[in-house]
Amino acid sequence: MSRIPWVPETTEPLPRVGESEGLLTWAASVDHKQIGIMYFIAALSFFCIGGLEALLMRIQLSRPDNNFIDPELFNQLFTMHGTTMVFLVIMPFLIGLGVYLIPLMIGARDMAFPRLNALSFWVVVFGGLLLYYPFITQSGATDVGWFAYTPLSEKPYSLNNGPTYWALALLCTGIGSVASGINNIITIITLRAPGMTMRRIPLFVWLLLVTSFLLAFAIPILNAGLVTLLLDRILEANFFAPSSGGSAILWQNVFWGFGHPEVYILVLPAFAIICEVIPVFSRQPIFGYGFMVGSAIAIGLLAFGVWGHHMFAVGLGVPFNTYFSLASMLIAVPTGVKIFTWIATMWGGKIYFATAMMFATAFVIEFVIGGLSGVAFAAAPLTWQLTDSYFVVAHIHYVLFGGSMFAIFAGIYYWFPKWTGRMLSERIGKCHFWLMLIGFNLTFLFQHMVGLLGMPRRVYTYPDLPSWNWLNLLSTIGACVLGFSVLIFIFNIFFSLRKGKIAGNNPWNAWTLEWLAASPPPVHNFDEVPRIHSARPLWDLAHPDMPDEPESFNTGVTR
Amino acid sequence: MNIEKNKLLMMFFLASESMFFIVLILTYAYYRSTAAVGFESTGGPTALTSLNPIRTGIFTLILILSSFTVWLGVKSLKSKRHSMLCFWLFITIVLGALFLYGQGTEWWGMIKQDITISRDLFGTTFYTLTGFHGFHVTVGLIMLLILFGLALAGDFRGPKSAGIESISLYWHFVDVVWIVVYSVIYLWAVL
Ligand SMILES: [Cu+2]
């Protein structure tokens, strides 16, 4: 049997993706750098939308018995804010960073599956549009909270189409996330440059590898929950309908079975950024590479066994509560190892406070605050007291804003020169940093207090009780400062794209491979990748007389 | 690593898919075992009263057999026997289609008895679990058909093909999932 020519041979050459900046070359791009930047643009746009939603809520809550917005819209706002920030801001930011940097850091030409990479991105964007579509229709967006507890999110209780679109949207972003997780794993396994063993890849890559496993194995749990919820809503199935014997609590188990690993999907890549920024600006290698990797793997594994700490208020019974309390507290150990590793890396180093380093330092402090309130929440009785109060809101924002977002800003200030060839303005950057730090703490620090005083979350207004009004007002002022600092950041991007200092290949004198490429890197990334001998290839190139020991993890102490 | 990247992609994809199925299977098992809110208490149809484990058992054997034939196909690919590869792919497709036919008649019979996805928890969990499995079989069949067409057109001369090898992995996965589903739904009912 010979090959049957179904289609006649053509002599036209394949259309080449030119170096021009046309819009189509972006939309059709399968280049990991362009996709990474598109992730960045999409995430930043959704960040502005989600931030605007938060500001509207804060204005409504600035004084008691306010009626700036009505309760229906308020419910939609907090639901959309949460969903947007988790699935359309932090995840795309972090996945996009990974997509841009992983191939460069391991000395590869591109991801293992460039087309799959593009698909992941566009499916996430499509999910975002699906989520926001009902906002412009009669029925309004989803208003059942970002975790869509059943039976509220079921048909008889939520007849509008919001929750249906919510589930479809998250299914889209979920498929995209699984695909990028698997793509990352295979890229890291198969495409490392000669000599780049798993003991020599940058910590950023290691932590993204762990994250990618979480993406590949935790997101399908959510997907299963979403399809069953959709079956309930569309085909009148009975999964979560108590009236026909279904269990509303089952949804909570499925959702948090995904939801807790998700917490680490949002925060491990943030750790990854910090692991790159802190050593470079302390001028010392990371203290304890092995500890950092080991603790990340421990966190990744433990993440699957602690979902019940989101359900202490359900009444699971003493044995379950005890188990979930203890298991959750256990996670504080590997997390603590990381904190101490960063501090030890800074210890005795020549610290240079560029904006990236300021954000990284602030990250460590804010994340410790969020982590401490998190460990407190691991005790079931404390949850009973504080559940559904503003204390929870404060906690999650210290972890996800003070944690993930601060790390993302550190990453942006650090890698922006690589992406664009120009430095972000340090003067505007410092202005951005201080305003954001003040605004953030003003907004959320006082929410701890108002939570302890008993103010419930997700209420559109509150009565004029002692201290509630001024604490809320402070929070709103903080939110406005925060919003203003984001405007400064966006101004900095546009300003620096035109007027920023030319960066050169390695403006920070960093040691990982991405700084060997030109800024911005050419389509093929590297003309030639040197053979890798240690975890700091650029150090070895710069100091051929005293290269790193091949597997030197702790050289920081001795050098 | 020596494993070809496309096969690796399929392996991780299937590992990820198994998490999806584990949730659906656990959901079925949860409602099956909590009798207070489970199937029997409603007095409606159950797996015991409405399903035929022998008839579906035969279709189960057919699916297992198709896993065997696709393995023979991969063996022929490795030994570069191209016409045998085409033959085994064809047999696999026929067996897979037979299994789907069995599923279809099962569903049709139940719907005629007025057992639907919205009737009660048994209907809900049964149709969801078998439905998502059936969907995976259908996707597998489509991919096998594409491979078969390409093979007829002269592709896959061996000894290696990432396409054939990863789709056969997928097909084994669908088979294994079905063995679990069959055990949980049909065998657990008679026990
Ligand atoms: Cu948790």
Side-chain angles (χ1 to χ4, degrees):
Chain A
M1 220 178 297
S2 68
R3 180 173 263 289
I4 304 159
W6 283 339
V7 181
E9 191 68 41
T10 168
T11 49
E12 292 270 304
L14 282 171
R16 276 181 50 79
V17 180
E19 304 274 316
S20 70
E21 295 284 305
L23 214 53
L24 191 68
T25 60
W26 283 86
S29 173
V30 293
D31 176 60
H32 73 105
K33 298 177 287 297
Q34 282 185 313
I35 293 172
I37 286 177
M38 287 193 291
Y39 265 116
F40 176 74
I41 294 168
L44 191 63
S45 318
F46 279 115
F47 183 62
C48 293
I49 297 172
L52 216 58
E53 287 160 355
L55 269 181
L56 287 174
M57 286 189 283
R58 275 326 311 173
I59 293 171
Q60 161 68 14
L61 292 170
S62 59
R63 58 195 177 90
D65 301 315
N66 201 356
N67 36 33
F68 171 65
I69 40 183
D70 58 60
E72 283 77 24
L73 183 60
F74 190 86
N75 288 353
Q76 294 178 26
L77 285 178
F78 70 69
T79 305
M80 293 295 278
H81 169 75
T83 310
T84 305
M85 289 305 193
V86 168
F87 293 97
L88 300 172
V89 177
I90 301 184
M91 281 177 78
F93 259 135
L94 296 173
I95 291 176
L97 263 177
V99 158
Y100 194 104
L101 291 170
I102 289 173
L104 282 166
M105 283 183 164
I106 63 175
R109 157 75 185 80
D110 205 315
M111 299 287 284
F113 301 98
R115 280 191 178 78
L116 187 67
N117 194 16
L119 176 79
S120 300
F121 169 73
W122 288 109
V123 128
V124 167
V125 171
F126 181 65
L129 298 180
L130 266 184
L131 182 72
Y132 272 88
Y133 170 69
F135 238 149
I136 57 172
T137 64
Q138 274 290 308
S139 74
T142 174
D143 55 357
V144 292
W146 84 278
F147 36 64
Y149 272 2
T150 54
L152 178 61
S153 54
E154 294 265 290
K155 224 17 181 303
Y157 306 99
S158 294
L159 286 168
N160 66 337
N161 284 327
T164 308
Y165 280 102
W166 175 86
L168 287 170
L170 292 203
L171 213 48
C172 287
T173 63
I175 290 167
S177 307
V178 170
S180 26
I182 298 176
N183 208 344
N184 285 345
I185 296 173
I186 299 178
T187 305
I188 297 169
I189 293 179
T190 60
L191 294 184
R192 279 171 286 125
M196 179 147 303
T197 62
M198 288 305 279
R199 287 160 187 256
R200 293 175 191 162
I201 56 175
L203 278 172
F204 181 91
V205 178
W206 250 118
L207 267 59
L208 260 107
L209 182 63
V210 178
T211 310
S212 301
F213 272 94
L214 289 179
L215 285 170
F217 293 102
I219 303 277
I221 303 176
L222 173 69
N223 289 349
L226 292 171
V227 295
T228 47
L229 182 66
L230 280 172
L231 286 174
D232 270 15
R233 288 187 61 87
I234 295 171
L235 293 181
E236 288 166 19
N238 307 306
F239 280 106
F240 310 113
S243 53
S244 18
S247 164
I249 304 299
L250 181 66
W251 168 262
Q252 295 192 23
N253 279 301
V254 174
F255 189 86
W256 292 117
F258 142 80
H260 193 82
E262 168 76 7
V263 171
Y264 293 107
I265 291 171
L266 299 173
V267 107
L268 275 175
F271 291 169
I273 297 167
I274 302 303
C275 284
E276 294 304 317
V277 172
I278 284 188
V280 166
F281 291 100
S282 306
R283 307 314 299 159
Q284 304 204 94
I286 193 86
F287 179 90
Y289 179 106
F291 278 114
M292 200 51 99
V293 173
S295 59
I297 294 172
I299 288 175
L301 291 174
L302 287 172
F304 282 95
V306 297
W307 76 91
H309 64 219
H310 296 270
M311 300 167 62
F312 285 144
V314 166
L316 298 170
V318 174
F320 283 101
N321 284 350
T322 314
Y323 161 73
F324 283 121
S325 282
L326 291 176
S328 309
M329 287 176 186
L330 204 57
I331 295 193
V333 177
T335 314
V337 167
K338 289 195 180 309
I339 304 280
F340 284 117
T341 307
W342 292 320
I343 295 174
T345 306
M346 293 167 79
W347 201 276
K350 289 194 194 67
I351 300 180
Y352 174 68
F353 277 110
T355 311
M357 184 59 174
M358 293 168 91
F359 270 109
T361 314
F363 161 89
V364 175
I365 297 164
E366 309 292 359
F367 185 79
V368 165
I369 298 176
L372 288 177
S373 59
V375 178
F377 266 126
L382 204 90
T383 303
W384 295 334
Q385 180 64 32
L386 293 173
T387 187
D388 260 337
S389 77
Y390 261 87
F391 196 88
V392 181
V393 179
H395 161 68
I396 198 182
H397 285 90
Y398 266 87
V399 178
L400 293 186
F401 200 121
S404 302
M405 281 312 295
F406 272 46
I408 287 168
F409 283 119
I412 292 171
Y413 278 91
Y414 181 58
W415 280 296
F416 189 87
K418 183 51 63 187
W419 301 335
T420 63
R422 284 177 188 272
M423 311 289 286
L424 274 173
S425 156
E426 283 288 312
R427 265 174 66 199
I428 308 176
K430 290 197 168 129
C431 189
H432 162 214
F433 168 77
W434 285 111
L435 276 175
M436 184 162 263
L437 189 76
I438 294 166
F440 166 76
N441 283 293
L442 202 57
T443 312
F444 296 109
L445 194 64
F446 297 104
Q447 291 188 355
H448 287 111
M449 283 182 234
V450 81
L452 286 168
L453 288 172
M455 179 164 166
R457 67 201 272 216
R458 301 200 200 92
V459 289
Y460 86 106
T461 192
Y462 53 94
D464 191 0
L465 291 168
S467 314
W468 283 30
N469 45 13
W470 66 268
L471 284 172
N472 271 295
L473 185 61
L474 274 183
S475 218
T476 302
I477 295 170
C480 293
V481 176
L482 203 50
F484 185 63
S485 73
V486 174
L487 287 183
I488 292 181
F489 168 66
I490 292 170
F491 171 74
N492 195 358
I493 290 182
F494 284 106
F495 174 81
S496 301
L497 276 175
R498 287 167 172 273
K499 301 237 168 95
K501 264 187 281 180
I502 301 295
N505 289 5
N506 190 2
W508 310 118
N509 256 320
W511 304 301
T512 39
L513 213 48
E514 77 270 29
W515 301 103
L516 185 65
S519 307
V523 179
H524 57 280
N525 288 353
F526 302 98
D527 292 328
E528 190 187 6
V529 181
R531 202 182 158 79
I532 311 298
H533 297 287
S534 78
R536 298 194 302 166
L538 267 62
W539 169 276
D540 296 347
L541 280 181
H543 307 91
D545 47 325
M546 48 167 187
D548 279 351
E549 293 292 310
E551 318 293 355
S552 54
F553 303 141
N554 297 325
T555 47
V557 209
T558 51
R559 174 156 285 137
Chain B
M1 286 283 276
N2 301 325
I3 307 175
E4 205 272 337
K5 70 170 186 173
N6 294 299
K7 268 167 77 181
L8 214 52
L9 176 68
M10 183 55 88
M11 286 175 193
F12 275 105
F13 170 68
L14 295 178
S16 172
E17 284 281 277
S18 59
M19 289 302 284
F20 178 85
F21 275 107
I22 283 172
V23 174
L24 294 186
I25 290 167
L26 284 179
T27 304
Y28 181 92
Y30 172 70
Y31 285 131
R32 170 70 178 74
S33 57
T34 52
V37 291
F39 306 151
E40 282 82 0
S41 63
T42 57
T46 65
L48 184 61
T49 58
S50 51
L51 299 175
N52 184 345
I54 310 261
R55 183 176 170 285
T56 308
I58 293 168
F59 283 110
T60 305
L61 287 179
I62 288 177
L63 193 65
I64 295 173
L65 195 64
S66 79
S67 219
F68 184 63
T69 56
V70 88
W71 176 71
L72 286 174
V74 173
K75 270 193 72 171
S76 334
L77 176 84
K78 279 182 183 150
S79 52
K80 296 189 174 186
R81 283 179 304 184
H82 184 258
S83 48
M84 287 311 283
L85 169 70
C86 296
F87 173 73
W88 288 123
L89 280 179
F90 179 71
I91 298 293
T92 309
I93 291 166
V94 170
L95 292 174
L98 259 179
F99 173 81
L100 268 192
Y101 167 78
Q103 286 296 96
T105 48
E106 176 103 286
W107 276 34
W108 182 242
M110 288 173 71
I111 290 169
K112 273 199 298 195
Q113 292 174 56
D114 204 23
I115 305 172
T116 60
I117 192 166
S118 59
R119 172 163 172 158
D120 61 5
L121 275 176
F122 170 64
T124 296
T125 48
F126 172 82
Y127 283 108
T128 305
L129 196 46
T130 56
F132 271 104
H133 179 265
F135 173 66
H136 280 75
V137 177
T138 312
V139 171
L141 270 183
I142 293 170
M143 294 194 293
L144 282 171
L145 273 169
I146 294 171
L147 290 185
F148 181 59
L150 287 173
L152 281 188
D155 272 4
F156 313 126
R157 293 282 168 188
K160 280 193 171 144
S161 154
I164 300 261
E165 288 168 53
S166 20
I167 305 299
S168 86
L169 276 177
Y170 177 91
W171 196 252
H172 293 316
F173 170 78
V174 164
D175 190 26
V176 170
V177 170
W178 179 254
I179 292 174
V180 178
V181 169
Y182 178 75
S183 314
V184 169
I185 296 182
Y186 291 81
L187 295 185
W188 194 0
V190 252
L191 278 179

